Amino acid sequence: MATDRKENRRYVFTVEGETEQWYFGWLQEQINACDESKYTVSLVPKVQQSPKKYAKTVNPIATPKVTHICDYESNDEVHVTKFKNILSELKEANSTIGRKFKYSLGYSNFTFELWIVLHKQTCNGILTNRTQYLSHINRAFGEKFENLDQYKHEDNFKRCLSKLSLDDVKTAIIRSKRIMEAKTSSGEYQDQYKGFQYYKENPALTIWEPVEAILRECELL
């Protein structure tokens, strides 16, 4: 197809690891291969766990918006402190660079695996440990991974991605919205820190928000 006639839109992310980077690379390929997309996209996922460090490299004219993708890994003190430090860095970046720049948050509670699972099945129950996503992944993708490290191996993770489509992404957005709407309906309290809101109890996620925005801008939703 003649994608060269389409305008290209650029979206920048900072992500915690390679699986997130591979996912956004895959999503870019899916959108650019879709005839119905109004635009082609350049999704730029930088592996950088410190928003503050990345913000120092940003030209706000060329890159007016960045989304940081991260996990709220548990309610253990070490993980809560790590998450709050990220929120502090996001606020500092927004304050330092100025009004024309915005650093947004896309989090997953517990982990990015929740977002991946939602492409294939619901995952509404509360988990007690991050490793419990393994059984959901194996069931969703018809795999027999022995642990999450095996699942995160590049060949294995990309094999899972090969079983997905843009329709699965749209379904994941719907399922994510239902999770968050259920929390709102039940009156569950959102913690607030440095101007950001988040749920301490899983499942919860906002990763779907930037993905939905991209698909909407491309007129795929």
Side-chain angles (χ1 to χ4, degrees):
M1 69 178 191
T3 57
D4 58 319
R5 290 199 296 267
K6 295 182 181 180
E7 179 183 338
N8 184 268
R9 297 292 175 95
R10 183 172 178 266
Y11 306 87
V12 179
F13 299 85
T14 46
V15 299
E16 290 193 317
E18 290 181 320
T19 53
E20 294 92 334
Q21 189 177 50
W22 295 329
Y23 175 82
F24 283 108
W26 168 85
L27 183 60
Q28 174 182 295
E29 291 177 359
Q30 299 306 303
I31 294 172
N32 290 344
C34 181
D35 290 328
E36 289 74 27
S37 181
K38 183 176 181 180
Y39 305 109
T40 60
V41 298
S42 294
L43 306 187
V44 186
K46 305 281 189 178
V47 177
Q48 173 56 267
Q49 297 194 25
S50 171
K52 182 178 179 179
K53 286 183 180 179
Y54 183 74
K56 291 179 179 179
T57 71
V58 169
N59 178 338
I61 297 175
T63 307
K65 182 176 180 180
V66 181
T67 302
H68 186 69
I69 303 296
C70 65
D71 297 335
Y72 183 93
E73 295 183 67
S74 80
N75 286 321
D76 293 345
E77 184 177 355
V78 62
H79 291 142
V80 173
T81 299
K82 177 184 176 182
F83 186 73
K84 285 186 173 181
N85 285 342
I86 289 172
L87 301 187
S88 295
E89 289 193 19
L90 290 172
K91 182 177 181 180
E92 184 176 345
N94 285 333
S95 300
T96 302
I97 298 177
R99 291 180 299 174
K100 293 183 179 180
F101 175 83
K102 183 177 182 181
Y103 219 139
S104 301
L105 171 69
Y107 79 91
S108 182
N109 183 353
F110 284 132
T111 68
F112 187 67
E113 281 66 59
L114 170 61
W115 169 245
I116 296 298
V117 168
L118 291 172
H119 286 65
K120 285 295 187 184
Q121 63 182 40
T122 58
C123 192
N124 299 330
I126 295 175
L127 304 184
T128 58
N129 190 284
R130 302 183 304 283
T131 60
Q132 291 174 317
Y133 285 115
L134 180 63
S135 61
H136 292 276
I137 289 166
N138 281 335
R139 184 164 58 253
F141 292 94
E143 297 286 350
K144 296 181 180 179
F145 299 126
E146 296 180 359
N147 52 58
L148 286 175
D149 285 340
Q150 186 180 34
Y151 148 76
K152 291 180 180 181
H153 186 278
E154 183 173 3
D155 290 343
N156 294 334
F157 183 77
K158 288 185 175 179
R159 184 170 69 251
C160 291
L161 291 179
S162 72
K163 300 176 183 181
L164 298 178
S165 67
L166 273 181
D167 283 340
D168 291 319
V169 178
K170 296 173 186 178
T171 299
I173 292 170
I174 292 170
R175 289 174 175 150
S176 298
K177 284 183 174 181
R178 288 174 180 167
I179 287 173
M180 300 303 276
E181 287 167 357
K183 286 183 172 293
T184 300
S185 298
S186 67
E188 188 171 334
Y189 174 77
Q190 282 198 85
D191 275 59
Q192 298 190 41
Y193 189 75
K194 301 294 183 179
F196 295 92
Q197 294 184 319
Y198 62 96
Y199 285 106
K200 292 177 67 175
E201 302 303 325
N202 75 89
L205 70 169
T206 58
I207 292 174
W208 60 273
E209 293 177 347
V211 176
E212 180 186 49
I214 292 168
L215 295 188
R216 286 199 183 282
E217 190 162 349
C218 292
E219 298 187 1
L220 293 172
L221 283 177

